């Protein structure tokens, strides 16, 4: 797939606004009605003038019914516009002078910012809740404010709810007062925070206090889901202690809460002291076999330092929030499960980023040309940002890296930051000037594609290491500069300075080593391929401690067509101590397409680790029309893991076995946690390329079905459409209809399905999303889908035109030859 430009038409360079006034405190007095879907509020705002002569403030306020504005009991002149509210103070303020005013307003079923959930056809038991989601710029939909991250203010929130309901907001719970029919909750946060971190959640919840945190720690779940909550959030106190230790700065606020809500449009949101989590992360015992909420929970907890205590000054530097939080997922794995889990999690970050870079677009991590800030919240920001921190840890060493982070947090606590603040903290903590590093990995798009090779020169008694950068290199894309660590067994490590497209290094060694470690710890951010002797690859896979080195060796062995290489891979699939290596070997075996690989995967289908079994089930799907494979996959449908069963169902469809349709049609009706099994069956039905599959899949997209299944079925329909010889209008109609669905996630999935479909019938609905949808993520996705569909439709016409031109040129050439002959 061709890589696109990140900046869409209409994108502009974005800079933070002027700040002649600073908001210093916001007090919210709120009354909620879940049945009427309303919030009645009074927002009292304290401002301080930065400059002289300031006599008004323009607040962000969208769709708020403004009842009045006053100061000291007297009304203030104000102007309500579609996107903002201008409040006039009645006199100019002097620099440093403070002024307080109050706005009475009402919110009625807002488009953004605040969301009300209630039972519906698909889920009659869905809880009735109110939750807010203010990032990136949606606080303005539920209270008037300066809605930009560079303004941080303290806050207090008082919420009146129907008796029996619970309300959560930022800060310490100062009071909970029960009256005859209502309960009032009062919270206060003394630490300054930006408006995108303000939160309010109302509903029926059970409170669970968690011992062992460095501050009071709680989670809140719907009644009856306490055990699921413990599985999801139980390790939070240990995470807090781990991060206190790694960062060197203790958790910075008065308490920490997590609350699980229905229909949340993100995975989690790190509101200061009060993270909102999706209830999809609550899971049962069976899911817990090979599913963990720890990446989500650790990510949001890390944000309390990186994003909440230190906040990006503007959205172009948001990697300082998201890249750090993503990296700390790996830090938690290292503390909890060890260095192999850490290394493999970092590797997953690198792969996720590279996938986006290759298949979608390339951009620098710090980038300020966009339409909506939410466009930046992609894999470059999260996963590449996290991988950059892992690389930085390799450059500095772990001790200096941690000292640098402690200095960065200490120097900027409570304030707003840009990337240069982190650069300066590193220099202050270590003396290292790494501006070149950040220019290359943060301010420049792309990454090196490395071929690392080794040979031993017996005549010169030296080990020769060749490093080749295979990516495009020209005046605008210079070769990457970095240091490559190399270790030979039994010798001191060496560090090679890489600066050019191709480099060759001869390291004196009296004897040929059994093993070489190239980039131990996998610190160089990029695509890395080993070119090593087969015997050395076998030795690395057999005994190397670094799991990424073993994975790279396995991948290289998969390209070597000899008996010893295949035997080594088969043995390692069964015996490697780390499940991640087993997963990658299963994937490598699938790429060979060899009968011996198929037999090895079938033999290993009862592997002790469910994640390896899942990878084996997926790998078996690359061997179609083989009864032995289909039989093995049918057997795997009895697995204890939801995910293994789902992978087996999808692969069963790929086998096109005569038994598959009925089995898959039956399993698409099977209910399980987050519809994991039914979703796998839906994907399998698509892979059958059988016209009969369209009926159960279209049925699965109905709005009376669970959302997770509907999403899987929409993508499956697009895949089925591509595989069928006969084009079915009913498939197109189902996908186009889903583009108008009320659910954010259904619309998001329908956009992806429409893009895969490639049909022009979807463009009008996609255009409505790109023009009118309230979510910037969907607007961008819809624009990209329109572009791809339009190009796909243009291609046949362009090919036909080109063929006509070629034919005409051939005729002219023939005529020229005839004239020449005569």
């Amino acid at each position: 797939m061709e890589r696109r430009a990140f900046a869409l038409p209409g994108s502009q360079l974005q800079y933070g606004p002027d700040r002649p006034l600073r908001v210093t405190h916001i007090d919210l007095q709120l009354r909620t009605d879940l049945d009427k879907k309303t919030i009645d509020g009074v927002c009292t705002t304290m401002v301080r003038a930065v400059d002289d002569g300031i006599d008004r403030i323009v607040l962000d306020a969208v769709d708020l019914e403004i009842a009045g504005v006053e100061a000291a009991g007297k009304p203030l002149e104000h102007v309500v516009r579609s996107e903002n509210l201008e409040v006039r103070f009645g006199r100019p303020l002097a620099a440093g002078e403070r002024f307080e005013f109050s706005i009475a307003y009402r919110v009625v079923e807002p488009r953004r910012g605040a969301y009300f959930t209630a039972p519906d056809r698909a889920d009659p038991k869905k809880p009735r809740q109110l939750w807010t989601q203010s990032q990136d710029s949606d606080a303005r939909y539920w209270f008037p404010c300066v809605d930009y991250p560079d303004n941080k203010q303290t806050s207090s929130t008082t919420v009146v709810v129907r008796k029996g309901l619970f309300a959560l907001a930022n800060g310490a719970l100062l009071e909970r007062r029960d009256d005859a029919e209502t309960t009032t909750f009062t919270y206060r946060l003394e630490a300054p925070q930006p408006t995108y971190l303000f939160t309010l959640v109302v509903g029926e919840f059970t409170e669970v206090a968690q011992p062992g945190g460095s501050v009071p720690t709680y989670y809140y779940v719907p009644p009856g889901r306490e055990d699921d909550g413990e599985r999801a959030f139980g390790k939070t106190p240990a995470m807090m202690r781990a991060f206190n230790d790694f960062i060197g700065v203790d958790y910075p606020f008065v308490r920490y809460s997590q609350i699980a809500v229905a229909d949340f449009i993100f995975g989690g949101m790190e509101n200061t002291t009060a993270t909102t989590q999706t209830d999809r992360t609550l899971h049962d015992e069976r899911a817990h076999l090979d599913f963990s909420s720890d990446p989500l929970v650790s990510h949001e907890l890390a944000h309390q330092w990186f994003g909440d205590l230190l906040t990006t000054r503007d959205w172009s530097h948001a990697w300082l929030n998201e890249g750090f939080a993503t990296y700390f997922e790996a830090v938690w794995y290292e503390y909890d499960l060890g260095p192999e889990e850490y290394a493999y999690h970092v590797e997953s970050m690198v792969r996720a980023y590279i996938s986006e870079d290759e298949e979608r677009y390339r951009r620098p991590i710090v980038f300020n040309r966009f339409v909506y800030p939410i466009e930046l919240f992609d894999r470059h920001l999260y996963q590449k940002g996290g991988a950059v921190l892992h690389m930085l840890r390799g450059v500095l060493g772990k001790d200096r890296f941690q000292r640098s982070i402690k200095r960065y947090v200490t120097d900027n606590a409570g304030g707003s930051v840009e990337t240069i603040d982190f650069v300066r903290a590193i220099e202050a903590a270590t003396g290292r000037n790494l501006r070149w590093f950040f220019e290359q990995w943060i301010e420049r798009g792309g990454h090196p594609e490395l071929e690392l090779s080794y040979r031993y020169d017996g005549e010169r008694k030296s080990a020769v290491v060749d490093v080749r950068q295979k990516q495009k290199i020209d005046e605008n894309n210079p070769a990457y500069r970095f240091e490559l660590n190399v270790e030979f067994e039994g010798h001191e490590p060496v560090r090679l300075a890489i600066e050019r497209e191709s480099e060759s290094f001869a390291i004196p060694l009296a004897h040929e080593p059994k093993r070489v470690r190239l980039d131990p710890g996998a610190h160089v951010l990029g695509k890395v391929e080993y070119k090593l002797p087969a015997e050395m690859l076998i030795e690395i896979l057999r005994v190397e401690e670094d799991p990424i080195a073993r994975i790279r060796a396995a991948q290289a062995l998969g390209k070597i067509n000899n008996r010893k290489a295949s035997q080594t891979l088969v043995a390692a699939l069964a015996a490697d101590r780390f499940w991640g290596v087993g997963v990658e070997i299963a994937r490598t075996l699938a790429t060979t397409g060899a009968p011996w690989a198929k037999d090895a995967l079938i033999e290993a289908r009862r592997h002790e680790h469910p994640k390896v079994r899942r990878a084996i089930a997926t790998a078996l799907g690359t061997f179609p029309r083989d009864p032995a494979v289909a039989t093995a996959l049918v057997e795997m449908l009895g697995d204890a893991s939801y995910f293994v069963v789902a992978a087996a169902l999808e692969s069963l469809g790929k086998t096109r076995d005569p038994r598959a349709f009925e089995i898959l049609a039956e399993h698409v009706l099977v209910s399980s946690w987050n519809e994991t099994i039914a979703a796998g069956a839906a994907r399998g039905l698509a892979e059958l390329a059988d016209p009969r599959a369209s009926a159960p899949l279209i049925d699965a997209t109905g709005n009376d079905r669970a959302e997770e299944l509907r999403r899987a079925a929409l993508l499956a329909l697009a895949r089925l459409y591509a595989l069928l010889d006969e084009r079915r209008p009913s498939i197109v109609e189902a996908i186009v209809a889903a583009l108008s669905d009320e659910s954010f996630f259904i619309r998001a999935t329908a956009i992806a399905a429409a893009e895969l479909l490639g049909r022009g019938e979807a463009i009008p609905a996609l255009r409505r999303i790109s023009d009118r949808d309230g979510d910037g993520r969907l607007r961008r996705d819809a624009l990209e889908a329109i572009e791809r569909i339009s190009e796909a439709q243009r291609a046949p016409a362009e090919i036909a035109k080109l063929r006509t031109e070629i034919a005409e040129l051939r005729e002219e050439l023939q005529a020229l030859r005839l004239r020449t002959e005569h």
Side-chain angles (χ1 to χ4, degrees), residues 23 25-27 43-47 59 99-103 144:
V23 177
H25 183 80
I26 291 175
D27 175 76
C43 176
T44 301
T45 303
M46 172 72 76
V47 299
L59 299 171
F99 187 81
E100 183 178 285
F101 58 93
S102 297
I103 302 166

Side-chain angles (χ1 to χ4, degrees), residues 13-90:
L13 292 173
Q14 305 282 351
Y15 300 96
D18 294 337
R19 286 281 176 258
L21 283 167
R22 305 294 298 188
V23 177
T24 59
H25 183 80
I26 291 175
D27 175 76
L28 295 173
Q29 302 285 323
L30 307 173
R31 182 178 292 269
T32 65
D33 190 320
L34 301 191
D35 295 321
K36 295 180 180 178
K37 299 182 179 181
T38 60
I39 304 171
D40 289 286
V42 176
C43 176
T44 301
T45 303
M46 172 72 76
V47 299
R48 176 177 54 81
V50 175
D51 197 6
D52 285 318
I54 308 302
D55 66 353
R56 67 194 62 199
I57 186 171
V58 177
L59 299 171
D60 298 299
V62 182
D63 295 342
L64 305 182
E65 297 179 5
I66 305 299
V69 182
E70 64 176 40
K74 297 180 180 179
L76 289 181
E77 185 181 351
H78 60 278
V79 178
V80 178
R81 304 187 182 96
S82 60
E83 298 289 326
N84 58 56
L85 169 65
E86 181 180 304
V87 177
R88 297 167 182 170
F89 303 149

Side-chain angles (χ1 to χ4, degrees), residues 662-674:
E662 290 197 5
I663 292 172
L664 294 169
E666 175 187 343
H667 278 80
V668 84
L669 302 174
V670 173
S671 180
S672 62
W673 173 75
N674 281 354

Side-chain angles (χ1 to χ4, degrees), residues 335-627:
Y335 268 84
D336 188 45
L337 299 174
E340 289 189 318
E341 293 275 359
Y342 167 86
Y344 194 57
H345 197 70
V346 171
E347 177 73 2
S348 73
M349 295 180 204
V350 175
R351 292 187 188 186
Y353 147 67
I354 288 176
S355 173
E356 182 173 80
D357 175 88
E358 292 180 344
E359 298 173 11
R360 197 174 180 190
Y361 51 67
R362 170 172 291 177
R363 71 173 182 87
I365 291 179
V366 173
F367 194 68
N368 72 334
R369 183 181 289 276
F370 51 86
V371 180
Y372 310 108
I374 200 68
E375 295 175 46
L376 298 172
F377 287 72
D378 59 6
R379 294 178 184 179
H380 285 68
L381 198 73
Y382 287 72
Q383 283 88 353
K384 187 181 183 183
V388 165
L389 291 172
H390 171 67
M391 186 171 184
L392 183 61
R393 174 171 162 171
V395 170
L396 294 173
K398 185 178 178 183
D399 288 344
R400 292 186 185 91
F401 178 64
Q402 288 185 249
R403 288 209 313 267
S404 298
I405 288 179
K406 181 178 181 179
R407 184 63 182 262
Y408 170 59
V409 173
T410 302
D411 286 356
N412 297 285
S416 301
V417 288
E418 296 176 322
T419 301
I420 190 62
D421 296 304
F422 186 36
V423 177
R424 287 170 176 155
I426 294 168
E427 189 166 357
T430 69
R432 298 284 301 274
N433 182 351
L434 294 183
R435 296 192 186 205
W436 65 270
F437 176 92
F438 285 86
E439 186 278 332
Q440 187 167 250
W441 302 103
I442 298 293
E443 298 171 16
R444 170 183 172 183
H447 53 270
E449 298 177 15
L450 302 177
E451 181 180 278
L452 306 180
S453 60
Y454 153 85
R455 66 185 187 279
Y456 186 72
D457 187 334
E459 291 185 10
R460 294 177 173 80
K461 299 293 183 182
S462 62
V464 180
V465 175
D466 295 313
V467 180
R468 180 184 169 208
Q469 298 191 43
K470 297 167 62 178
Q471 76 280 2
K472 178 182 178 181
I473 295 177
D474 56 26
E475 184 177 349
N476 297 320
N477 300 280
Y480 281 87
R481 167 192 171 191
F482 57 93
E483 292 184 328
L484 180 74
N485 290 328
V486 179
E487 298 176 5
F488 299 98
E489 187 176 32
H491 297 80
E492 289 295 316
V494 296
R495 182 169 282 197
L496 308 177
I498 311 300
E499 296 179 343
R500 291 181 291 275
E501 180 176 357
S502 293
E503 308 254 20
S504 187
F505 303 87
I507 298 98
L509 291 181
H511 303 286
E512 183 175 1
K514 283 188 176 181
R515 199 163 79 251
V516 60
R517 304 180 74 197
L518 301 172
D519 186 27
H523 286 105
V524 180
L525 198 172
K527 294 180 73 172
V528 178
E529 180 183 5
Y530 280 176
K531 292 286 187 179
L532 304 176
E535 295 76 12
M536 184 168 283
L537 293 171
I538 289 169
E539 183 71 5
I540 290 171
L541 182 55
R542 191 175 64 82
V543 301
E544 177 59 62
E545 291 182 5
D546 181 353
I548 309 307
R550 301 205 300 278
I551 288 168
R552 290 173 179 172
Q555 291 166 341
L557 284 170
K559 299 174 184 177
I560 298 175
N561 186 22
N562 68 40
R563 184 182 181 87
K564 195 169 183 181
S566 62
Q567 288 177 335
T568 302
L569 286 170
V570 171
L573 175 61
D576 197 280
R577 63 184 180 274
F578 178 52
W579 65 267
V581 176
V583 166
E584 300 304 328
I585 291 174
R587 292 172 178 168
T588 296
L589 293 180
T591 65
T592 69
W596 63 265
K598 176 199 71 176
D599 294 340
L601 290 165
I602 292 175
E603 181 66 25
R605 68 189 183 279
R606 299 186 185 91
H607 194 285
E608 65 179 5
H609 202 290
K611 291 184 180 179
V612 180
R613 298 199 299 275
R614 188 197 314 183
I616 288 169
T618 298
L620 285 171
T622 62
F623 298 91
R625 304 187 188 283
D626 189 310

Side-chain angles (χ1 to χ4, degrees), residues 255-302:
R255 69 181 261 161
Y256 185 60
S257 300
Q258 296 173 92
I259 191 163
V261 304
D263 291 349
F264 195 52
I265 58 174
F266 287 83
M269 182 62 212
E270 66 274 12
N271 309 303
T272 314
T273 75
T275 289
T276 305
Q277 304 279 27
T278 172
D279 65 0
R280 292 183 295 275
T281 203
L282 302 176
H283 56 281
D284 60 25
E285 285 186 274
R286 187 176 177 186
H288 201 57
L289 289 173
D290 51 347
F291 173 82
S292 173
S293 296
D294 283 7
L296 174 64
V297 174
S298 58
H299 181 105
E300 304 307 335
L301 176 61

